[in-house]
Amino acid sequence: MRRSLLLMMVFALLALPVAVYRQWLDVPPRWNPWAPLDITETPNLLTSFKLWRLQDDPALCRQALDTSPLRYLPLPDSSADADCPLENVLRVQASELKFNSSFVATCPLAAAFALFERHHLQPAAQAVFGQPVTLVEHVGSFACRNVAGSQRRSQHASANALDIVGFRLRDGQRISVLRDWTTDGDEARFLRQVHEGACASFNSTLGPDYNAAHRDHFHVDMGLYRMCR
Ligand SMILES: [Zn+2]
């Protein structure tokens, strides 16, 4: 008796994803792993799976981006013999906030940024300063190089990483990772919340506590490894 109950439970567990995939079961899109990512939905357990699915599916990724205010230009893949070939990339121009300059990003990196902006960055700015961030300052995304001091290709070599150095608020106040990370005022409190939110949105986030090379920026990327330092 007990064994058949166990078997039934195992069967139900295995059948559930199939039933959702085949649409035999009506599950709300945010709880359906195969539904496109909706940037406006509060992130949940399935969000990183949905982000991961965007890697090899440019059409699905554009569909996700189009649920966000992100403005971007799709870019063609580079030729395969390029030193650092680019695939599934676009030029991010603006969002509800501006950037100091537009940047090339893989589509999943852009989608993760849109999630980060809506669900972590702006809520942190509202909570600490009562106003939104209007500008994100970065120092680049694409650079055809290895990780400093190693033979491994950097996530920057595929435009799958972004280095963020600071933020500007609506009233013009500037917050700098280099200057404000180690203080103990509102600026530092904001940066800690932003760092935590970045960890929740991107696969890897490295900040000033990681090493001296990151003392002036948050490195965020959508590579294979999950790191939050
Ligand atoms: Zn970086």
Side-chain angles (χ1 to χ4, degrees):
M1 184 62 202
R2 212 174 256 174
R3 181 170 292 178
S4 62
L5 192 68
L6 191 72
L7 269 171
M8 266 170 64
M9 278 169 65
V10 169
F11 177 76
L13 223 61
L14 293 175
L16 195 64
V18 179
V20 173
Y21 180 71
R22 294 288 183 126
Q23 300 180 344
W24 297 330
L25 251 183
D26 194 19
V27 176
R30 59 188 305 259
W31 289 112
N32 178 352
W34 290 278
L37 175 68
D38 182 343
I39 304 287
T40 61
E41 293 279 14
T42 307
N44 64 23
L45 285 172
L46 296 178
T47 306
S48 50
F49 173 73
K50 289 188 177 193
L51 271 173
W52 173 76
R53 282 189 69 212
L54 306 182
Q55 261 179 346
D56 302 314
D57 193 336
L60 189 68
C61 193
R62 304 279 159 75
Q63 215 179 329
L65 286 191
D66 292 345
T67 65
S68 83
L70 216 68
R71 283 200 285 125
Y72 63 92
L73 282 176
L75 296 176
D77 291 354
S78 51
S79 60
D81 62 351
D83 266 355
C84 290
L86 294 178
E87 274 175 41
N88 194 8
V89 285
L90 33 94
R91 178 167 287 281
V92 177
Q93 296 166 310
S95 185
E96 265 168 358
L97 45 75
K98 290 184 179 142
F99 299 99
N100 56 315
S101 67
S102 70
F103 58 95
V104 180
T106 59
C107 190
L109 179 67
F113 184 90
L115 280 170
F116 164 70
E117 175 190 350
R118 180 183 174 105
H119 300 287
H120 299 282
L121 178 64
Q122 296 299 16
Q126 288 293 351
V128 177
F129 301 108
Q131 54 177 316
V133 168
T134 53
L135 180 99
V136 167
E137 269 184 69
H138 68 88
V139 288
S141 54
F142 176 55
C144 190
R145 62 170 173 82
N146 290 348
V147 174
S150 97
Q151 299 295 316
R152 199 154 45 85
R153 270 293 189 224
S154 161
Q155 288 298 316
H156 286 289
S158 49
N160 205 24
L162 180 68
D163 291 336
I164 299 173
V165 294
F167 306 91
R168 198 165 70 205
L169 302 175
R170 189 170 57 197
D171 69 2
Q173 183 185 349
R174 279 194 67 235
I175 296 143
S176 137
V177 175
L178 177 64
R179 189 190 57 208
D180 297 317
W181 179 258
T182 47
T183 61
D184 55 8
D186 282 349
E187 292 81 2
R189 197 153 61 85
F190 167 72
L191 287 176
R192 303 277 161 181
Q193 288 186 24
V194 169
H195 182 272
E196 203 175 300
C199 286
S201 311
F202 301 93
N203 281 356
S204 272
T205 300
L206 303 174
D209 289 350
Y210 177 53
N211 64 17
H214 292 79
R215 70 187 181 284
D216 60 354
H217 69 278
F218 294 149
H219 163 101
V220 296
D221 75 56
M222 291 303 282
L224 226 51
Y225 301 104
R226 265 201 101 82
M227 275 179 89
C228 172
R229 300 278 295 273

